[in-house]
Amino acid sequence: MTVVSTQQPTIFLMRVLIVLMLVLPLGVKAQFTYSIDQSVPVRKQDGSAFTLPWAGGLNSVQTNTMDLDHDGDDDLVLFDRMGNKVLTYLRGDNGFTYNPEYEAFFPGEILNWVLLRDFNCDGRKDLFTGDNLGMKVFTNTTQSNGAPSWQQFFFSTGFPGSKSGVLLSKGFSNKINVQVQFDDLPSISDADGDGDLDIFTMRYVGNGQVEFHKNFSKERYGTCDSLDFERITQSWGNMRECSCGRFAFDGDDCASGGRTKHAGGKSLLALDLNNDKATELLFSESECSQLFQFPNHGTTMAPVVNTASGFPTSAPATIVTYPAPYFEDIDGDGVKDLMVSSNLFVREFLNSNFSSSNYFYKNNGTNANPNFTLVQRDFLQSEMIDLGDNTVPALFDFDGDDDLDLFISSHNGSTVRSPVYLYENVGTPANPDFQLYTNDLLGFSFQNDFNRKIQFADIDNNKTMDLVYTSTDGNSGVTSLNFVSNKNQTGLDFENPTITQVQFQINRNENVHVFDVDGDGSSDLLVGRSDGSLELWTQTGPLMFTLSDPEFLGLGSSVLRQNISIAVADLDADGKLDFVYGDQSGVIKIVSDFKNVTNADEAAVTNIVFNSLQENYIAQNLGGRIWPVAANLFGSTRQSLIVGNAMGGLYILNSEGPELPGAPVIDVYPNPLFETQRLSVRIDRPAVMEIYSMLGQRVSDPVRLQPFAILETELASLRSGMYILKFTVGKKSYSKKLVVDR
C-alpha cells in the first residue's frame, strides 16, 4: 500500500507559485520574508527520490484524523511532543502530502497532547488537550469550506455564573478537575456505547491505578454535547501497574520493591478488542518499551481484568521507549488501524531510534473486532529526511563544482555514535538536486561520541573553511569543540584527517557558532547557553578564547529562551550582516544589521513565514529546538534558510528575492588599499579568487568565496602597485583592479 504521494508539481511551477504567493498579501511586507519550500528533490543513494523530503521529521507522534480541506476524506493531524508541534498532511489519491499551511489554525494553547474527538455529534471533530490544571476542550467551529477554527468550551461548576476552563467531573461529592500528569495520555472514547464520550485516565496521585469517568450527557439531556462527567471508579478493573511489565490484579498490592507512586508517564487507549461489547485497555509507560493489553472478561462498568500481555500479539510494539497507541483509519478503507509511536517529550535513552518511531498496523478485521498486522515501523518517515533528532545542517561546496552540497549531523539513535550525512548537489547553483553521497562522512560513526553538531568555519584562521563540530564523549560525558582542518581552498581536502580538540567545553544541550564577530580576521565564538543567555568569546590567540560579553546583544538568562542556536549572514543583500537565532520555541528570529543593535529580542522579527491560507506572514514553529543555517540555494540575491530541528528533519525557508543578474556583483574595499588596512571582498555567488600582477604573474593562492560572505585578508606581502583580482564563477572569469599603496 502506498501512503505517500509521488505526484509533485514541477520545480518551475512550484517556484512560480511561491513568487505569486509572496507578492499577493496586502499590507506592508516584513523585511525578511520566506516561504516553506518543498520543491527541492532529494534522492537516496540508489537514485530513488524521497516524496516528502522536507517535511521536517517525526519523533513522538500522536495521530489524529479530520477532514481539513473539505473533500470528504479524513486527513492526518499529528502532534509531535518533542517538537511541540502540530503537523498537517492532506490525503490524496496516492497517499499523503505535507501541507504546513493548516498548522497555524490550531489553538496555541495545545499542551502535551492532542486528541480529536467529536463530543457534540455534529460531524466535526473537536479538540481535547492538556492543561496545567487538567485538560481543555475546544469546540470545532469550522464553517463550510473554511479553514479550521475553534472555540474553547467552558464547564459548569455548579455555582451560578461560575465557569471552568478545564474539564470537570463529579468526584466523591463535588465537581473536580480531571487531573492529568504532563507526560500521561488519557483515552477519550465512547467506552460504554451510549453515544457520548467517556474518559479513562491514570489516577493523578496514586499507585498505578486507572480512573474511569463516565459521561452522563445522553442519559440526562438526551444529547451528547454536555460533557457531564462523573468519576465512577479510581481503580478500574481492580488492577494496578507496579513497574515495567509487572502488574497486580484483584486488588492486590504490588510485591515488595514494586512501585507505590504514580511515576513516569502512562498512555491509555480503550478499545473493544473482541466484539463482546466490553472495553479493553491498551497500556504503556515511559520507562518501558512494550505496549500491553488488559483483556476484560466482564463488562465496561463491571470489568474483570486479571492478565496482561504484549500487544499486538503477532508483532508487539516495542519502541524504545514509551509506545503510545492510536486508533485511526490511516489507509482510507473505512476501518480504523493502529498507530503506535513514542510519547516521550525528550530523549531519555541514547539508543532510542527516532528515525523509525511511527508504527503502522493495518486492521484486517473490523472496528469492533480488529486484527492488526504490522506494515511498517517508519510510516511517513521513510519518505523524508529523518535522521533521528537534533538535526543540524551545514552547506559547503565540497567537490568544487560551484554548487552547495548538504551536510547533516544528528543523533540517529542506533548507537551512542553520531554520523554525518553528505548529500551531493547533482543539480545546479540555482536548481539544487540532492543525492545521498555518504551516510558516514570521515567515519564519524566509529568515534565514541554523540550529539554531534557541525558547521563550516575558518577556525584556525588559514583562509580555508574547516569542518567544525561540538560533540559529547561517550565515556566522560564531556561536550567539547573540535575541528578537522581543511587543506583545500576550493573544496574539501580531508586526506589523512586529524581531529583537533579546542580547549573549550560546553554543556550537552548548548550551541557554539564560529564567526569573526569583531572583524579582526580571527574567528570568535558565539555560545548559546542552557539558561537562555548568549556569550561572546573573542579569540585572543591561536585557538584561545576569552569571554568578552556574557550577554551579547542583550541576551541574558531567560526561561523563555534556552539553548540558543545562531547563524550570521547578509540575508537581504544590503551589505550588512544579519543575526539569525532560534531556541526551544521552534520560531526563527532575525535581527537586521545586528552590529548596530543592543537588544536582539527587542529588534528581532519573527513573522517571516508566508501562510497562503491566511495570506499573511506568521511566526511558525519549525520543530521545537532548531538549528538554522543561511545559504544561497536558488541563485538569488537573497539567502535562504535551511533549518534543522528536534524532530530529525529539515525545512527550507526560501526567500522571494529576485534572480541574480547575469554578471556577479563584486565588492572590493578599501581601494586603494593602504599599509595598515585589510582587504574586504564580497561576491553574490560562489567563486574562486586569485590575485595577479599586471605582468600576469599569480601572487596568491586560490581562495574559495562563499556567496554574500565577507572575506577579510591581509596583503602585507604585496608591494605598491596595481593588481588584478580574478574571480572564477563556473566556466567564466571576471576581474577587478586593486591599487595597493604602501
Side-chain angles (χ1 to χ4, degrees):
M1 177 192 63
T2 303
V3 294
V4 288
S5 173
T6 57
Q7 294 181 338
Q8 295 187 17
T10 65
I11 295 176
F12 174 78
L13 179 59
M14 181 69 78
R15 299 275 162 76
V16 170
L17 290 174
I18 288 171
V19 172
L20 288 175
M21 289 188 297
L22 289 166
V23 300
L24 285 177
L26 299 176
V28 179
K29 293 195 297 182
Q31 182 178 1
F32 301 100
T33 52
Y34 300 89
S35 62
I36 294 179
D37 193 327
Q38 301 185 70
S39 67
V40 177
V42 181
R43 308 177 194 279
K44 305 169 188 176
Q45 209 154 20
D46 62 5
S48 61
F50 290 103
T51 57
L52 299 167
W54 307 102
L58 298 170
N59 280 357
S60 297
V61 187
Q62 299 173 1
T63 300
N64 295 276
T65 60
M66 67 177 289
D67 188 1
L68 293 169
D69 56 356
H70 307 285
D71 65 351
D73 294 324
D74 272 350
D75 308 299
L76 281 181
V77 178
L78 310 179
F79 180 73
D80 193 290
R81 284 203 71 192
M82 284 197 177
N84 190 35
K85 174 178 174 59
V86 171
L87 301 110
T88 50
Y89 290 77
L90 295 184
R91 187 191 301 271
D93 293 338
N94 295 289
F96 294 104
T97 57
Y98 180 50
N99 293 79
E101 297 83 3
Y102 289 91
E103 296 168 4
F105 294 94
F106 284 79
E109 298 92 334
I110 288 174
L111 182 67
N112 297 330
W113 54 270
V114 174
L115 295 175
L116 297 180
R117 303 288 188 266
D118 182 8
F119 79 81
N120 54 11
C121 304
D122 65 355
R124 297 176 297 188
K125 289 190 176 180
D126 308 296
L127 189 148
F128 292 73
T129 187
D131 184 84
N132 290 329
L133 297 177
M135 63 177 76
K136 286 182 178 179
V137 181
F138 292 85
T139 304
N140 188 335
T141 57
T142 305
Q143 301 301 307
S144 177
N145 296 321
S149 63
W150 314 88
Q151 183 177 355
Q152 186 175 354
F153 185 95
F154 289 89
F155 295 82
S156 172
T157 64
F159 297 97
S162 177
K163 296 285 185 178
S164 169
V166 295
L167 189 144
L168 301 179
S169 179
K170 183 180 178 182
F172 294 117
S173 57
N174 298 319
K175 289 189 175 182
I176 58 172
N177 300 359
V178 179
Q179 291 279 13
V180 180
Q181 293 271 15
F182 77 96
D183 50 355
D184 281 359
L185 181 70
S187 176
I188 302 175
S189 64
D190 181 11
D192 55 6
D194 64 355
D196 52 27
L197 295 177
D198 310 299
I199 297 174
F200 288 90
T201 188
M202 297 303 299
R203 190 171 175 180
Y204 186 70
V205 178
N207 51 359
Q209 295 175 307
V210 176
E211 293 186 351
F212 175 54
H213 297 262
K214 176 178 167 54
N215 189 351
F216 283 90
S217 180
K218 289 287 287 187
E219 288 87 346
R220 291 171 179 165
Y221 312 107
T223 63
C224 50
D225 61 357
S226 295
L227 295 179
D228 189 359
F229 292 99
E230 286 191 17
R231 187 179 63 201
I232 302 302
T233 177
Q234 290 184 297
S235 181
W236 189 86
N238 212 16
M239 61 181 185
R240 71 183 69 203
E241 183 256 355
C242 301
S243 61
C244 177
R246 297 176 58 203
F247 307 94
F249 301 101
D250 300 323
D252 291 342
D253 291 328
C254 292
S256 177
R259 179 171 298 146
T260 59
K261 296 180 180 179
H262 180 118
K266 305 180 195 304
S267 294
L268 301 173
L269 177 62
L271 288 178
D272 183 358
L273 294 174
N274 52 13
N275 200 24
D276 64 354
K277 312 302 181 186
T279 292
E280 279 82 31
L281 278 184
L282 301 184
F283 173 91
S284 67
E285 68 127 314
S286 63
E287 297 179 6
C288 204
S289 63
Q290 193 166 359
L291 178 65
F292 296 94
Q293 64 173 324
F294 294 116
N296 181 4
H297 302 290
T299 66
T300 301
M301 300 301 293
V304 177
V305 178
N306 47 39
T307 60
S309 59
F311 188 84
T313 305
S314 60
T318 53
I319 294 175
V320 181
T321 57
Y322 197 11
Y326 308 90
F327 194 46
E328 299 284 354
D329 182 9
I330 300 301
D331 53 11
D333 64 357
V335 180
K336 292 185 178 182
D337 308 295
L338 179 70
M339 295 297 300
V340 181
S341 182
S342 169
N343 199 36
L344 292 174
F345 69 96
V346 67
R347 175 185 287 276
E348 292 186 356
F349 300 96
L350 292 178
N351 62 340
S352 298
N353 186 359
F354 288 115
S355 61
S356 182
S357 60
N358 198 25
Y359 286 35
F360 168 47
Y361 291 84
K362 177 176 175 56
N363 186 355
N364 296 304
T366 65
N367 290 339
N369 192 18
N371 178 20
F372 298 118
T373 301
L374 179 62
V375 175
Q376 63 182 119
R377 292 179 169 86
D378 53 0
F379 178 74
L380 297 178
Q381 295 172 297
S382 64
E383 293 299 332
M384 65 179 70
I385 296 176
D386 189 335
L387 305 182
D389 61 334
N390 295 356
T391 311
V392 180
L395 287 103
F396 188 77
D397 182 10
F398 90 97
D399 49 7
D401 64 352
D402 297 312
D403 55 31
L404 292 174
D405 307 294
L406 175 64
F407 298 74
I408 314 172
S409 61
S410 70
H411 190 112
N412 70 355
S414 58
T415 65
V416 299
R417 298 173 178 87
S418 183
V420 174
Y421 288 67
L422 167 57
Y423 287 85
E424 181 184 7
N425 187 351
V426 296
T428 68
N431 291 288
D433 185 339
F434 295 111
Q435 181 168 348
L436 181 62
Y437 183 86
T438 178
N439 61 4
D440 192 12
L441 181 71
L442 299 181
F444 276 125
S445 69
F446 294 97
Q447 300 290 329
N448 187 32
D449 57 356
F450 62 98
N451 188 36
R452 198 179 317 278
K453 301 173 185 176
I454 62 170
Q455 60 189 291
F456 285 96
D458 182 14
I459 193 170
D460 54 5
N461 306 314
N462 67 350
K463 302 302 183 289
T464 65
M465 300 295 281
D466 308 305
L467 178 59
V468 183
Y469 66 92
T470 58
S471 64
T472 304
D473 185 273
N475 294 323
S476 67
V478 173
T479 302
S480 59
L481 177 64
N482 315 274
F483 72 96
V484 180
S485 183
N486 180 18
K487 303 176 180 65
N488 193 336
Q489 292 182 321
T490 60
L492 287 184
D493 182 359
F494 289 148
E495 184 179 357
N496 301 318
T498 299
I499 297 174
T500 301
Q501 185 174 102
V502 181
Q503 295 304 307
F504 191 86
Q505 295 181 358
I506 58 174
N507 292 329
R508 177 172 167 178
N509 292 325
E510 297 176 336
N511 302 294
V512 174
H513 182 68
V514 181
F515 186 78
D516 181 8
V517 176
D518 54 14
D520 66 352
S522 60
S523 293
D524 308 306
L525 305 181
L526 291 169
V527 183
R529 293 296 187 182
S530 299
D531 65 357
S533 62
L534 180 64
E535 298 175 349
L536 171 60
W537 291 71
T538 304
Q539 187 165 178
T540 54
L543 301 178
M544 297 176 60
F545 300 91
T546 301
L547 179 63
S548 58
D549 190 344
E551 296 185 0
F552 185 66
L553 295 181
L555 298 177
S557 176
S558 172
V559 296
L560 301 177
R561 177 197 348 102
Q562 299 174 17
N563 310 112
I564 297 175
S565 57
I566 307 105
V568 177
D570 181 5
L571 297 177
D572 51 4
D574 65 351
K576 301 173 183 178
L577 289 172
D578 308 305
F579 185 79
V580 185
Y581 64 111
D583 51 35
Q584 78 279 7
S585 70
V587 173
I588 288 284
K589 303 174 184 177
I590 301 178
V591 179
S592 177
D593 187 15
F594 79 94
K595 290 192 175 182
N596 290 311
V597 169
T598 57
N599 189 295
D601 275 350
E602 293 179 359
V605 294
T606 56
N607 292 331
I608 62 172
V609 180
F610 183 68
N611 186 299
S612 60
L613 295 179
Q614 291 183 329
E615 295 189 346
N616 199 5
Y617 293 92
I618 65 172
Q620 181 134 3
N621 179 357
L622 297 172
R625 296 183 308 278
I626 53 175
W627 290 268
V629 63
N632 190 343
L633 273 185
F634 302 110
S636 167
T637 58
R638 294 171 178 262
Q639 298 204 55
S640 298
L641 294 173
I642 299 86
V643 184
N645 60 29
M647 303 187 306
L650 298 179
Y651 287 98
I652 293 178
L653 298 187
N654 185 4
S655 174
E656 91 269 26
E659 294 299 307
L660 289 171
V665 177
I666 305 171
D667 296 320
V668 177
Y669 56 93
N671 194 1
L673 180 71
F674 296 102
E675 183 174 2
T676 60
Q677 294 176 316
R678 298 167 59 86
L679 179 68
S680 296
V681 180
R682 178 176 175 273
I683 189 170
D684 64 352
R685 63 201 70 188
V688 175
M689 183 185 76
E690 300 166 289
I691 303 177
Y692 288 83
S693 71
M694 294 303 292
L695 298 177
Q697 180 183 10
R698 196 178 74 179
V699 296
S700 76
D701 292 327
V703 177
R704 184 74 179 174
L705 302 178
Q706 298 300 316
F708 299 106
I710 298 175
L711 171 70
E712 292 187 344
T713 183
E714 294 181 352
L715 298 178
S717 63
L718 296 187
R719 298 178 179 179
S720 295
M722 184 175 291
Y723 296 85
I724 301 296
L725 275 58
K726 178 184 176 183
F727 299 87
T728 302
V729 179
K731 297 181 180 180
K732 295 183 179 181
S733 296
Y734 306 87
S735 62
K736 286 278 189 179
K737 292 182 180 180
L738 172 67
V739 176
V740 177
D741 188 349
R742 298 300 185 193

